[in-house]
Amino acid sequence: MEKMKIAVIGCGMISDIYFENLIQSDVVEVVGCSDIRPERSAAKAEKYSIRQMTNEEIFADAEI
């Protein structure tokens, strides 16, 4: 089965729990993240080797 590509919106304090659980999933692939504070999404993007995105980019990406 092909994994569903997703992006996380909101990279605050609890987001590490989401990322750590999602990256272990056989069903989804985390490909990006965004946050109202770009420095937060930049840090998570680097930590989890995913793309830092804006909400608009996430909504416009047909693969997500």
Side-chain angles (χ1 to χ4, degrees):
M1 173 175 26
E2 186 176 335
K3 289 186 174 187
M4 179 188 317
K5 294 182 180 182
I6 67 164
V8 174
I9 297 175
C11 296
M13 292 172 49
I14 197 165
S15 66
D16 279 313
I17 293 171
Y18 299 141
F19 284 111
E20 290 170 13
N21 286 300
L22 289 167
I23 61 174
Q24 295 180 37
S25 173
D26 295 330
V27 181
V28 299
E29 175 186 1
V30 181
V31 296
C33 65
S34 70
D35 194 273
I36 195 165
R37 295 182 180 172
E39 64 275 8
R40 282 199 244 181
S41 56
K44 300 300 178 180
E46 183 176 338
K47 181 175 182 175
Y48 294 102
S49 300
I50 57 176
R51 262 181 50 194
Q52 179 185 16
M53 305 173 78
T54 64
N55 289 355
E56 292 77 17
E57 290 172 321
I58 292 170
F59 299 141
D61 190 325
E63 292 187 1
I64 297 175

